[in-house]
Amino acid sequence: MLKWAGGHPLFAARARGAAIEDVDGHRYVDFALGDTGAMAGHSPQPVVDAVARRLGELGGATVMLPTEDATWVGEELSRRFGMQLWSFALSATDANRWALRLCRAITQRPYVLVFSHCYHGTVDETFVTLNGGGRPRSREGNVGPAVDPTVTTRVCEFNDLEAVERLLADEQVACVLTEPALTNIGIVPPENGFLDGLRVACDDTETLLIVDETHTLSAGPGGCTAAWSLQPDLVTLGKAIAGGLPIGAYGVSDDVAARIEALEEADLMDVGGVGGTLAGNALSLAAARATLGEVLTPAAFDRMTALCDRFVAGVRGALAEHDVPWSIVQLGARAELAFAPEPPRDGGASAALHDGELEDLLHLFLLNRGILLTPFHNMALMCPATTEEDVDRHTEVFSELLAALK
Ligand SMILES: Cc1ncc(COP(=O)(O)O)c(C=O)c1O
């Protein structure tokens, strides 16, 4: 909320579908969509009905008992992502934190490997970047870490397979945690062969691979895992899958599940460090069932991706018309503008493109003309309620901005 351009955030009064209204009565086309938490659109009717039924008619938001909705959602996530067993959290952050603990427990190895400028939530072990000299360091601004994260974590650049192989070689890394394409430092797509090579490097060293699909769910109903036939050992998720209600989820392969079962000393039921009182609560799971069953369906993803194609074509057309050397990268229903002619190949290169003033100008120019982009970056996301008119309005205003800049 502090990050919105313009000195203060708008105050939201109401939101429905792809639109937000502020307390002054201004209406905005929302391409930020709660930075993915509202990828299903704001208050989609099936979710409203399911939540009202669970909270009102049936009763019991939190009963500390599984519901049939949990079984349904677990099976649906298995169908989409191919992991056999699922467990729930209240945020993607927690899903990642618990997945890391489980990986360390079953491998009995101390380290985690992440890519420089990744973001997986406020997970201590992931707050490591490479400095200018290529040395690991605690991420700038890291607030009160209990231990220096370079003690727990190894780091290299995304798309650098040689470095991955080197850092896994001593078989001391429990797991690699990565998004299939980085999405939190612009979008950095994997180069040809990188994800296959990563899988092989993990297999060769018996390192587990966690794929975080929290944002890359935009690629389709089963995220990049399904779209690109990836073979992770664990998948983590959150944000959008309960239509805006708090949820996180992690799925594990049969093999990982068996190894977790075989842990003799780990307390997986009570206060061992995995799980939480409201995790798997009936309300989140009712919302997730409605979201996955009726809102973020395969047909909805087809529509959202086609709209994003149109969004990207509009931006490219405007850039060409005004002869501005920027680029835009698309990942299904999600697109991100980079202030460079070619999209960056790793997190460091993408971070170097950051231009705070230009970003603020872009966001504020659009906001003043009724369009919201994600404040953290130049990202636009389509939801099932986004329309062609919404997209075309963005193209028009973006073109106006380029003309004004020139
Ligand atoms: C890839 C990824 N994983 C996990 C998270 C954490 O999600 P949350 O803040 O909802 O816990 C984020 C948040 O931006 C994310 O981008």
Side-chain angles (χ1 to χ4, degrees):
M1 293 173 193
L2 288 172
K3 188 91 179 173
W4 286 95
H8 57 85
L10 301 173
F11 272 66
R14 57 186 71 231
R16 179 82 51 187
I20 290 185
E21 198 181 302
D22 71 12
V23 289
D24 297 314
H26 301 123
R27 196 175 172 283
Y28 301 87
V29 177
D30 185 12
F31 290 111
L33 292 171
D35 189 6
T36 313
M39 183 173 159
H42 297 293
S43 297
Q45 200 57 46
V47 177
V48 173
D49 294 344
V51 166
R53 181 160 183 270
R54 170 47 70 186
L55 197 57
E57 194 183 317
L58 300 175
T62 291
V63 287
M64 217 191 248
L65 293 169
T67 56
E68 287 180 339
D69 289 339
T71 311
W72 189 97
V73 172
E75 284 173 358
E76 176 63 11
L77 293 174
S78 290
R79 207 176 57 71
R80 291 183 180 215
F81 292 92
M83 299 290 102
Q84 281 74 30
L85 284 175
W86 287 82
S87 189
F88 298 101
L90 280 181
S91 66
T93 297
D94 272 349
N96 281 322
R97 289 198 308 109
W98 301 343
L100 293 185
R101 277 179 173 261
L102 290 167
C103 288
R104 276 195 301 260
I106 63 179
T107 59
Q108 292 292 302
R109 295 181 180 178
Y111 298 112
V112 167
L113 174 70
V114 298
F115 295 108
S116 197
H117 295 284
C118 67
Y119 186 71
H120 298 280
T122 52
V123 179
D124 289 333
E125 294 95 325
T126 62
F127 277 31
V128 185
T129 45
L130 292 176
N131 70 9
R135 295 189 64 79
R137 49 158 290 178
S138 181
R139 189 183 181 127
E140 204 175 316
N142 190 1
V143 183
V147 289
D148 181 338
T150 59
V151 172
T152 59
T153 309
R154 294 178 178 176
V155 60
C156 64
E157 290 288 4
F158 194 69
N159 280 323
D160 186 349
L161 194 53
E162 246 180 65
V164 170
E165 289 166 352
R166 184 166 29 81
L167 293 173
L168 298 187
D170 66 0
E171 304 192 358
Q172 290 300 301
V173 175
C175 59
V176 176
L177 170 61
T178 186
E179 292 185 278
L182 300 186
T183 66
N184 284 297
I185 186 77
I187 295 179
V188 179
E191 290 179 347
N192 270 345
F194 176 67
L195 293 177
D196 288 342
L198 178 61
R199 179 68 270 180
V200 172
C202 286
D203 286 343
D204 287 350
T205 54
E206 295 184 20
T207 308
L208 296 166
L209 177 58
I210 309 176
V211 168
D212 181 345
E213 291 272 21
T214 304
H215 278 177
T216 48
L217 176 64
S218 66
C224 294
T225 297
W228 301 344
S229 305
L230 306 180
Q231 303 287 330
D233 299 296
L234 298 91
V235 169
T236 53
L237 271 174
K239 295 202 182 189
I241 60 168
L245 270 82
I247 195 165
Y250 57 99
V252 303
S253 67
D254 270 340
D255 178 54
V256 169
R259 292 169 70 185
I260 294 171
E261 286 272 287
L263 287 172
E264 277 177 7
E265 300 199 343
D267 174 1
L268 294 166
M269 278 184 235
D270 198 359
V271 288
V274 170
T277 308
L278 300 186
N281 76 79
L283 199 62
S284 296
L285 270 302
R289 181 173 184 168
T291 303
L292 296 173
E294 299 175 63
V295 188
L296 289 178
T297 59
F301 274 100
D302 288 346
R303 240 195 103 253
M304 288 148 65
T305 302
L307 278 171
C308 198
D309 293 344
R310 187 181 180 99
F311 184 97
V312 168
V315 167
R316 290 204 174 120
L319 291 172
E321 186 191 330
H322 296 280
D323 199 20
V324 174
W326 298 345
S327 50
I328 182 159
V329 187
Q330 182 179 357
L331 194 61
R334 179 184 191 95
E336 173 116 15
L337 187 70
F339 300 134
E342 294 297 329
R345 83 171 286 254
D346 59 42
S350 196
L353 295 179
H354 180 71
D355 182 331
E357 271 190 322
L358 188 52
E359 248 177 45
D360 277 1
L361 174 69
L362 170 72
H363 285 84
L364 206 52
F365 193 95
L366 294 179
L367 184 149
N368 283 334
R369 289 156 185 80
I371 293 173
L372 301 183
L373 280 194
T374 299
F376 304 105
H377 25 193
N378 308 316
M379 191 278 285
L381 181 65
M382 314 295 133
C383 74
T386 308
T387 63
E388 291 189 348
E389 291 71 41
D390 294 338
V391 168
D392 294 347
R393 174 73 186 138
H394 172 269
T395 306
E396 193 184 322
V397 174
F398 182 69
S399 195
E400 251 178 65
L401 166 71
L402 296 183
L405 263 177
K406 287 209 104 183

